[in-house]
Amino acid sequence: MTPLDPGLDPGFGIYVHWPFCLAKCPYCDFNSHVRDSVDHDRWREALLRELDHYADVTADRTVTSIFFGGGTPSLMNPATVAAVIERVAQRWKTAPGLEITLEANPTSVEATRFQGFRAAGVNRVSLGIQALDDQSLKFLGRAHSASEALGAIGLAARQFDRFSFDLIYARPNQSVAAWEAELKRALDHAVGHLSVYQLTIEEGTRFHTLHNRGDFVLPDDELAGDLFEATQALLTGAGLPAYEISNHARPGEESRHNLTYWRYGDYVGIGPGAHGRLTLDGAKHATRAHRAPEIWLDRVDRHGHGGHAAEPVAPAERAVELLMMGLRLAEGVPLARLEAESGQPFAQSLDAAGLDRMIAGGFVELADDRLRATAAGRQRLNALLAQLLHA
């Protein structure tokens, strides 16, 4: 697969949000919902109508990736996935090696469904495995077992040339040794890409209530740091270095779609709650769809799209967004991109004293016309950004 240019062209993506799940995970704060039934025909037509709405204003762009996220997109009918992919190809030019990713849960993947998604045009899947032991899966509210997870990975490997899966670490009572053993087991099955996320407690989730009540305790900062460092060492040694804070890949196997986000490229967001960033008439705009599925569906029926009015993103805010996203990447941020987004010399977008402190502390570096966070800086990105950005 031809990688994206890491310089000034971050690509142009299409994100399609399927908001439905079989059950709500206790750690999840995504826009996901449980419904007894879904009118798949109506939803397919609504997604296509919203695609047409955005194609009308971005028809000159070349699509480099399509991503079906959620929710649980593997609950979609393959016919809906096929219709969306076909409509994208009708309304936009598509790049050679177009990456088309679909997120899936082990409990919703069967051989026939994967075959259907592959026939629809999906060429990459991302599996929500989260853990490889049954006790942790039960704590995380997952409906699958570790053996089902491994079966789903094997099925993905047989059906698709490219696949990834997610794991969550810094779980209660998790030791470095236990996590290293779990990662080594994962590496027996990870081919090109692995996403590894630290468990965090988000407001509005079931875990937020349970954690505040004292029902469980997460690892302290020191242990969480040790778990992070063990992750970096083990995966780098296995040939899957971190190209982003939580994402590891062999060279050339990075997620093209997610790189578009992190490189602050433009993307269309389709479906309830979907966000987008679009450059229209030379100015960057933020798009946002209504979150509630039924209200979004009604808005599409009435207006042809479920979005709120697009809002221009001011140059100073564009610089902040670019740094927040781009410093997550090991490659960092091209200074030319920072200047293009902000409309001023890069130094004016940064706090000079804070930059000097972060360079001296080994948390950030300026080299090769790029601003990069070091491994230590990426581990402390929120604090780093607070130092770099003007108050």
Side-chain angles (χ1 to χ4, degrees), residues 85-244:
I85 294 170
E86 182 180 3
R87 186 62 59 88
V88 170
Q90 290 172 347
R91 296 304 309 269
W92 287 276
K93 293 178 288 185
T94 57
L98 175 68
E99 178 190 271
I100 306 176
T101 301
L102 182 136
E103 291 183 333
N105 277 339
T107 49
S108 61
V109 297
E110 302 169 356
T112 53
R113 292 187 67 79
F114 263 8
Q115 289 167 3
F117 293 135
R118 186 182 65 180
V122 173
N123 53 31
R124 182 179 182 272
V125 293
S126 178
L127 293 167
I129 300 299
Q130 315 310 4
L132 290 175
D133 72 89
D134 290 340
Q135 183 177 353
S136 293
L137 287 168
K138 182 178 181 180
F139 166 74
L140 292 169
R142 306 297 285 168
H144 61 272
S145 66
S147 62
E148 288 173 323
L150 294 175
I153 294 170
L155 179 60
R158 292 190 294 274
Q159 295 284 349
F160 299 95
D161 292 334
R162 301 180 67 217
F163 69 92
S164 177
F165 59 92
D166 299 352
L167 295 175
I168 294 175
Y169 72 97
R171 308 187 297 257
N173 303 313
Q174 187 176 42
S175 68
V176 172
W179 174 231
E180 287 177 333
E182 187 173 357
L183 271 183
K184 289 175 182 177
R185 190 180 184 196
L187 285 169
D188 290 336
H189 304 275
V191 174
H193 193 285
L194 188 64
S195 299
V196 186
Y197 301 102
Q198 180 176 335
L199 179 60
T200 56
I201 304 301
E202 306 296 339
E203 287 190 19
T205 65
R206 176 67 174 158
F207 268 3
H208 188 260
T209 300
L210 297 177
H211 186 259
N212 285 351
R213 201 166 67 191
D215 286 7
F216 66 87
V217 178
L218 295 184
D220 60 25
D221 289 344
E222 182 177 355
L223 177 53
D226 290 342
L227 291 165
F228 176 86
E229 291 172 1
T231 303
Q232 307 310 304
L234 192 58
L235 296 185
T236 299
L240 278 78
Y243 68 99
E244 189 268 347

